[in-house]
Amino acid sequence: MITVQNTVNASINKVWDFWTLPEHITKWSFASPDWHTPYAENDLQKGGKFKSTMAAKDGSMSFDFEGEYTLVQPKENIEYIMADGRKVEITFKETENGIEIIESFDPETQNPEEMQRGGWQAILDNFKSYVENN
């Protein structure tokens, strides 16, 4: 598994809402400024499905990021299986510096692991910035 992490200076309630509500997901779930997420849906429960569309702002390409939840422990843990069968585990932990988010995922085989780690870390960094500035 590949792991990325960050600490967000906000309450667990705010972090949880901004991570899980579609109206917030569309504001932070992309890896670079030339991409965006114009659509998101999220049924946050075991067996529930989620989908967000990530797209280049110039319209040159887009893809759906989707999967099904296998575990939801509110404000603590989320686990899901992506559409391609890879597993993801996310932990939210309160610390004296804020909410530590640790996200681990199975790598795919098309791109180098460092590139995948960089992309997922960039999205997590976007999340931190969005939460702390809104």
Side-chain angles (χ1 to χ4, degrees):
M1 290 195 114
I2 297 173
T3 299
V4 296
Q5 64 186 79
N6 212 329
T7 300
V8 180
N9 185 10
S11 70
I12 186 61
N13 290 335
K14 183 176 183 182
V15 167
W16 186 259
D17 286 350
F18 278 38
W19 188 272
T20 60
L21 296 174
E23 62 264 31
H24 292 295
I25 294 168
T26 58
K27 306 284 196 309
W28 61 264
S29 187
F30 44 88
S32 65
D34 52 336
W35 280 71
H36 67 143
T37 301
Y39 175 81
E41 64 183 57
N42 194 21
D43 181 14
L44 188 65
Q45 62 180 325
K46 185 175 180 177
K49 297 186 187 305
F50 66 87
K51 178 165 81 170
S52 56
T53 300
M54 296 181 175
K57 288 183 178 175
D58 67 7
S60 62
M61 68 184 335
S62 71
F63 66 93
D64 287 335
F65 180 77
E66 56 190 323
E68 182 176 322
Y69 292 107
T70 56
L71 174 73
V72 176
Q73 293 177 303
K75 303 174 187 172
E76 291 180 21
N77 298 90
I78 296 173
E79 294 181 8
Y80 60 85
I81 298 176
M82 290 185 266
D84 65 6
R86 295 182 295 137
K87 294 180 181 174
V88 179
E89 301 171 359
I90 308 159
T91 302
F92 301 84
K93 189 184 329 180
E94 293 191 62
T95 72
E96 60 186 41
N97 297 321
I99 307 304
E100 183 182 46
I101 301 170
I102 302 170
E103 192 171 18
S104 299
F105 62 97
D106 291 334
E108 40 93 348
T109 56
Q110 293 180 319
N111 296 294
E113 288 192 10
E114 277 307 310
M115 182 180 173
Q116 295 176 62
R117 179 180 285 108
W120 285 59
Q121 185 67 55
I123 293 169
L124 189 53
D125 293 347
N126 274 353
F127 176 76
K128 173 183 171 67
S129 177
Y130 175 68
V131 171
E132 291 180 353
N133 291 298
N134 286 284

